[in-house]
Amino acid sequence: MRKIVHIAVREFLSTVLTRGFIIGVLVTPLMIAVMIILMPLLMNEQAPRIEGEIAVIDPSGEVHQGLADYLKPEAIAERRGALKEFASEQMQKMPGGAANEALAEPTLNALLGEVPNLDIVQRPADFDLESEKRLLTEEGPTEDRRLALIVVHEDAVQRQDGEENFGSYDFFVREKLDDRIVDEVRSGLRHAIVDARIRTTDLDRDYIEALTQVPRVRSTTVTEEGEKETNEVVNMLLPAGFMILLLVSVLTGGQYLLTTTIEEKSSRVVEVLLSAVSPMQLMTGKILGQMGVGLVILALYAGMGIVGLVSFALLGLVDLALLIYLLIFYVIAYFVLASMMAAIGAAVTEMREAQTLMTPVMVTLMIPWLLWLPITRNPNSIFATVTSFIPPINTFVMLLRMTSTSPPPTWQVWLCIAIGLISVWGALWFAAKVFRVGLLMFGKPPNFATLIKWVKMA
Amino acid sequence: MNDAIRLNGVTKTFGTKVAVNNLDLSIPMGALWGFIGPNGAGKTTTIRMIMSILFPDKGEIQVLGKASALEAKDRIGYLPEERGVYKKMKVGAFLKYMESLKRGSGKGSRRHVRQWLERVGLEDVEHKKCEELSKGMQQKVQFICAVIHEPELLILDEPFSGLDPINMLLLRELVLEQSRRGATIIFSTHVMSQAEQLCDHVVMIHDGDKVLDESLDGIRRRFDPRTILFEPLDNEADVSSLDELPWVEKVSRSEREFAISLVPDTDPGEAIRQVAAAVPTSRIELHRPTLEDVFVRIVTQSGDPSANELSQLRAGLREDAGREVSS
């Protein structure tokens, strides 16, 4: 037993203390964390206030006043206030509530920039288009610069006889004008023109607006326990998150196990080791050591996930029991995969030769990805139930089902675990035989038929 | 229970090839035995079976009184023929790890590692990575792996391959020291001369069969000297008179040297006197058979090999013969 511990400790340390591992596994999440911290800081950096003149040529004389009112700094500020209020209301409806709102405010501010100070000037109707346009290219003191030129068509407010559509306007802007100003002017014009049209036809604008409004309604999920608001995004993402966590941690440990086994075999250190320990001890120690590596990754990413959920006040979505099941499923899934990896690693002499034997293993591990959508959408279908009992994908499917909106009955979970444990035993038995025979076999890489022969031989 | 190793009718086949055929062997405690035979004879397979790394198809193996080496692994030191090191590991850490694996209980000790590295002249490599060592240095490190836990039984598979003469001497001295400490040592080699210098008893196998299992003294006595080698003073000397002598079976010549085969039961002393009397010689000696000669004589007893086959056979028993699997 002590020997197994020695092997496991060496295996763990020699993997975790390599530059590749530290960079690949630790630095990536660190970079994500840095991004999360730095992004708001970067976004807080606001663009300078925009100042300048917007010229309007308005033959009807009905539009420019509306536009000037719409683009007054106070009016812009007021609209933004309303937008923020709306956003914060929406955010509170989203899971996370208050935390989201706190995040939303600076984000919105950053997105909108400072309220621009725009001067709307009307130009005479007998204008010279070319000389007006030239002003858009001239440099000058910022507050006097012409930013845009708008030429409202004559039939923009009143249709010409026999025409079905109203006219519009031409819009000329200075080079590199902030797109937020362009949008602001455009919607101001839309507002002003519609307003003018309504005024000339004696309709009630507020009434028309009320007529066209149907608020968007969130769906409500009805369950046995009661009603709750449907949260489509989280419903889909939570199972995927759990499954990715399981898959990544299992694969990392398994991949390292394959690499170190091949290394030991090709560097011929393996027979030196076998002089001190039995093949079974060697394999057990190696599998346990890499299980530690997988657990480090699982803890790291799960921990980050939990920190993330806490900061969004979303922790309530995750049942703590789920984390315990995640751990159990990790152990089962890891042992099955690791056995295969140990067997493959022992059977071949080079990484290149391992690829052929790895393909079926990898394809099997892709299945949960393909099943993610159908199973989260319908977690208790016959298909989902059956696949959650078929090793080696049973743990992945069961985890998907358990994190979905309608978890499976407990007996199914335990049946899945029981089947998982049996599959662990079977995989270890197979791997132990292949491992023992394969370790000292050099030369032609074996195929699956050869592996079966070895199992019979051992 | 006086035997360190006992094999009873052990047979191992790989596919259609019989690697070891019905091998009986008993090696007493404290012995220094050579396990010899050309490449591919079945030495490594036998050793792997003794170490319980491979399992025999038939037969029984007892090691240090246990039914399997697995139960006595901590008391055995093994230097495999296919040996390697963890390339990225530091030498000191590697040896400490190996000692802790072998001692089963307790940890490896840095003091032991240092002492041993000093003894093989590698005191300054403790903190180097194994991959930075030369092949010969790695081999010494691996030898330390085999002996660092003071085993009762030491199995060395081709321990001298790839070593320069100085290190070979050093290693030979270390092996003899282990023997003086009381360890049972089995030493496998295809180089007959190495076994001859070191062992007191040899087991010879050829194509999976044991062809000899005898003490070196016994072998020398049994394969009594029946050849006299001599060089005449004068290269043109007439040696035809020798053919007339009654105890001469055959006279053959190679370059300057003549070899006279004696009729069985001839007194070699008397024969030498008579040759010296008949032809003035610069050098005359009674040729002692080497293990190589013994081996060649044993395996060619049945057939009548051509000269080419003979020289191939002999080449396989010398140091520069290629290893079975190049590493």
Side-chain angles (χ1 to χ4, degrees):
Chain A
M1 192 57 213
R2 264 225 184 92
K3 293 185 177 186
I4 295 178
V5 174
H6 281 309
I7 295 171
V9 168
R10 196 209 83 87
E11 184 80 20
F12 178 77
L13 291 180
S14 70
T15 304
V16 170
L17 296 183
T18 54
R19 220 168 289 147
F21 182 86
I22 293 172
I23 292 172
V25 175
L26 301 181
V27 172
T28 314
L30 210 69
M31 272 167 59
I32 294 171
V34 167
M35 289 275 280
I36 289 172
I37 294 166
L38 280 185
M39 273 308 270
L41 291 178
L42 287 175
M43 281 169 61
N44 272 343
E45 186 132 314
Q46 293 188 350
R49 181 180 186 148
I50 297 165
E51 288 175 304
E53 153 190 293
I54 292 176
V56 184
I57 294 159
D58 177 16
S60 68
E62 298 277 354
V63 176
H64 82 271
Q65 192 52 49
L67 181 66
D69 290 344
Y70 190 90
L71 292 181
K72 265 187 211 151
E74 308 89 70
I76 294 177
E78 194 181 319
R79 275 198 307 279
R80 287 188 179 179
L83 180 66
K84 279 179 199 165
E85 220 163 274
F86 173 77
S88 76
E89 261 172 48
Q90 289 298 313
M91 286 292 185
Q92 275 183 336
K93 284 188 201 158
M94 290 264 291
N100 286 352
E101 203 188 327
L103 202 73
E105 175 91 31
T107 315
L108 262 180
N109 279 342
L111 274 179
L112 296 173
E114 210 174 329
V115 175
N117 189 11
L118 302 172
D119 191 13
I120 314 297
V121 289
Q122 198 187 4
R123 306 297 299 161
D126 55 340
F127 63 98
D128 172 27
L129 185 60
E130 288 314 309
S131 64
E132 293 291 336
K133 271 196 219 168
R134 208 170 303 124
L135 285 172
L136 288 172
T137 59
E138 273 172 24
E139 296 296 327
T142 44
E143 66 270 20
D144 293 340
R145 265 193 319 183
R146 174 167 292 185
L147 300 179
L149 169 68
I150 292 145
V151 183
V152 181
H153 296 173
E154 279 185 32
D155 57 348
V157 176
Q158 272 180 312
R159 262 188 296 196
Q160 277 178 344
D161 297 337
E163 283 289 323
E164 195 181 333
N165 290 319
F166 287 91
S168 179
Y169 58 91
D170 296 320
F171 193 14
F172 306 98
V173 297
R174 176 177 282 272
E175 201 181 8
K176 290 178 190 157
L177 181 62
D178 193 309
D179 61 316
R180 288 172 295 193
I181 300 293
V182 175
D183 281 344
E184 198 80 65
V185 171
R186 215 182 258 137
S187 62
L189 270 167
R190 205 181 127 264
H191 192 270
I193 292 175
V194 169
D195 215 31
R197 287 174 187 168
I198 290 172
R199 243 185 291 124
T200 54
T201 44
D202 287 332
L203 288 170
D204 180 358
R205 172 153 199 166
D206 292 340
Y207 180 65
I208 292 173
E209 264 176 19
L211 276 182
T212 56
Q213 288 297 318
V214 179
R216 186 185 152 89
V217 174
R218 299 171 65 79
S219 58
T220 304
T221 310
V222 182
T223 65
E224 281 174 19
E225 294 95 51
E227 298 181 4
K228 58 185 178 192
E229 276 196 356
T230 317
N231 200 330
E232 292 97 348
V233 179
V234 175
N235 280 353
M236 296 308 280
L237 288 186
L238 192 66
F242 266 84
M243 194 188 69
I244 292 171
L245 206 57
L246 183 62
L247 209 56
V248 166
S249 51
V250 163
L251 265 181
T252 315
Q255 190 69 41
Y256 275 119
L257 184 67
L258 179 74
T259 319
T260 59
T261 310
I262 294 177
E263 226 175 75
E264 272 163 19
K265 196 180 161 185
S266 61
S267 74
R268 316 265 167 160
V269 80
V270 67
E271 201 168 344
V272 178
L273 294 176
L274 287 183
S275 73
V277 297
S278 69
M280 195 61 197
Q281 284 173 322
L282 179 62
M283 191 180 91
T284 316
K286 287 178 72 65
I287 289 181
L288 289 179
Q290 293 296 354
M291 185 163 99
V293 175
L295 276 177
V296 166
I297 291 173
L298 188 67
L300 202 73
Y301 284 92
M304 281 206 325
I306 288 172
V307 168
L309 288 178
V310 168
S311 70
F312 285 90
L314 269 174
L315 195 59
L317 280 175
V318 181
D319 192 351
L320 276 183
L322 269 183
L323 290 178
I324 294 167
Y325 280 117
L326 176 65
L327 200 66
I328 296 174
F329 287 155
Y330 166 74
V331 172
I332 292 174
Y334 171 75
F335 266 107
V336 174
L337 180 78
S339 308
M340 293 303 121
M341 293 297 197
I344 293 172
V348 302
T349 323
E350 278 175 58
M351 203 64 193
R352 198 161 34 84
E353 298 168 356
Q355 298 306 331
T356 16
L357 291 172
M358 287 281 291
T359 314
V361 178
M362 284 307 172
V363 168
T364 315
L365 284 177
M366 288 310 289
I367 296 176
W369 287 103
L370 304 175
L371 298 183
W372 165 49
L373 268 182
I375 285 174
T376 34
R377 285 217 173 109
N378 201 351
N380 286 317
S381 63
I382 292 178
F383 175 71
T385 312
V386 169
T387 45
S388 62
F389 297 136
I390 301 176
I393 56 165
N394 55 345
T395 46
F396 297 97
V397 175
M398 189 50 90
L399 196 63
L400 279 178
R401 296 180 63 199
M402 289 174 72
T403 46
S404 71
T405 40
S406 45
T410 317
W411 70 265
Q412 289 194 3
V413 178
W414 286 105
L415 182 60
C416 168
I417 291 178
I419 291 174
L421 291 177
I422 294 170
S423 70
V424 166
W425 183 84
L428 281 174
W429 175 84
F430 171 82
K433 303 221 154 190
V434 173
F435 195 78
R436 218 193 66 198
V437 177
L439 275 185
L440 296 174
M441 291 276 185
F442 291 94
K444 197 167 89 70
N447 51 27
F448 272 97
T450 328
L451 293 190
I452 304 288
K453 216 173 80 196
W454 289 359
V455 170
K456 287 183 187 154
M457 203 166 117
Chain B
M1 182 49 228
N2 280 332
D3 287 341
I5 293 174
R6 185 177 299 163
L7 270 65
N8 232 332
V10 168
T11 301
K12 177 81 186 174
T13 45
F14 292 114
T16 52
K17 187 180 183 293
V18 181
V20 176
N21 185 23
N22 201 19
L23 183 65
D24 295 322
L25 199 62
S26 54
I27 302 177
M29 287 284 194
L32 175 48
W33 277 31
F35 201 51
I36 57 182
N39 289 331
K43 302 184 300 286
T44 298
T45 305
T46 309
I47 286 175
R48 282 180 176 171
M49 285 192 287
I50 292 173
M51 287 304 296
S52 285
I53 290 171
L54 291 177
F55 292 88
D57 301 336
K58 261 192 295 189
E60 280 170 31
I61 296 176
Q62 267 197 8
V63 182
L64 293 174
K66 308 276 181 175
S68 151
L70 293 179
E71 296 166 40
K73 261 198 164 144
D74 301 343
R75 295 153 64 199
I76 307 174
Y78 173 42
L79 177 67
E81 185 187 8
E82 295 296 336
R83 46 194 169 237
V85 288
Y86 281 112
K87 292 190 182 121
K88 300 281 172 203
M89 226 171 160
K90 299 235 165 83
V91 174
F94 175 64
L95 286 173
K96 206 175 144 208
Y97 172 61
M98 289 311 296
E99 188 185 4
S100 63
L101 278 189
K102 296 208 172 187
R103 280 196 191 271
S105 59
K107 293 202 124 200
S109 112
R110 251 182 104 170
R111 196 170 49 86
H112 279 161
V113 171
R114 285 228 184 97
Q115 280 172 356
W116 268 105
L117 283 175
E118 256 167 57
R119 290 184 66 183
V120 299
L122 292 177
E123 48 279 273
D124 50 347
V125 304
E126 190 185 344
H127 298 292
K128 277 195 183 162
K129 282 186 182 167
C130 289
E131 62 185 351
E132 294 170 43
L133 301 188
S134 72
K135 216 181 152 203
M137 286 161 135
Q138 281 188 18
Q139 193 147 334
K140 289 199 270 186
V141 168
Q142 282 147 347
F143 179 78
I144 298 176
C145 281
V147 296
I148 195 165
H149 60 302
E150 301 184 336
E152 293 166 45
L153 172 62
L154 183 58
I155 300 177
L156 306 170
D157 199 352
E158 303 277 2
F160 300 124
S161 65
L163 282 184
D164 62 50
I166 294 172
N167 281 312
M168 216 186 266
L169 271 177
L170 172 71
L171 208 58
R172 183 186 302 161
E173 189 42 49
L174 291 173
V175 171
L176 287 172
E177 190 187 294
Q178 292 291 318
S179 173
R180 285 195 290 273
R181 187 173 61 80
T184 311
I185 296 173
I186 298 165
F187 161 68
S188 145
T189 181
H190 70 277
V191 186
M192 302 272 171
S193 59
Q194 287 171 1
E196 219 167 353
Q197 288 163 359
L198 208 58
C199 306
D200 40 46
H201 189 114
V202 293
V203 175
M204 201 180 268
I205 59 175
H206 179 61
D207 285 344
D209 289 310
K210 182 168 84 173
V211 292
L212 188 71
D213 179 357
E214 209 172 342
S215 72
L216 269 181
D217 291 344
I219 292 170
R220 291 202 177 108
R221 238 177 286 126
R222 192 147 69 88
F223 295 89
D224 59 329
R226 289 203 308 167
T227 309
I228 290 170
L229 296 177
F230 81 97
E231 271 177 47
L233 261 179
D234 178 4
N235 211 12
E236 307 301 319
D238 177 22
V239 296
S240 57
S241 61
L242 291 176
D243 281 332
E244 311 299 320
L245 292 166
W247 41 265
V248 170
E249 197 175 76
K250 198 173 93 189
V251 179
S252 51
R253 176 173 188 171
S254 63
E255 313 234 336
R256 285 176 62 94
E257 188 181 75
F258 287 84
I260 307 170
S261 309
L262 308 182
V263 170
D265 298 326
T266 313
D267 176 4
E270 182 55 32
I272 285 177
R273 251 195 308 282
Q274 290 189 27
V275 172
V279 187
T281 61
S282 64
R283 179 172 74 84
I284 183 161
E285 70 179 39
L286 188 62
H287 180 63
R288 282 189 135 188
T290 60
L291 271 181
E292 194 179 306
D293 299 326
V294 172
F295 177 80
V296 170
R297 205 182 304 173
I298 290 173
V299 300
T300 54
Q301 251 166 10
S302 43
D304 189 15
S306 69
N308 192 21
E309 275 171 344
L310 260 179
S311 68
Q312 265 186 11
L313 196 60
R314 282 186 181 272
L317 305 175
R318 290 183 187 150
E319 217 169 303
D320 45 4
R323 296 175 62 188
E324 281 160 69
V325 185
S326 59
S327 52

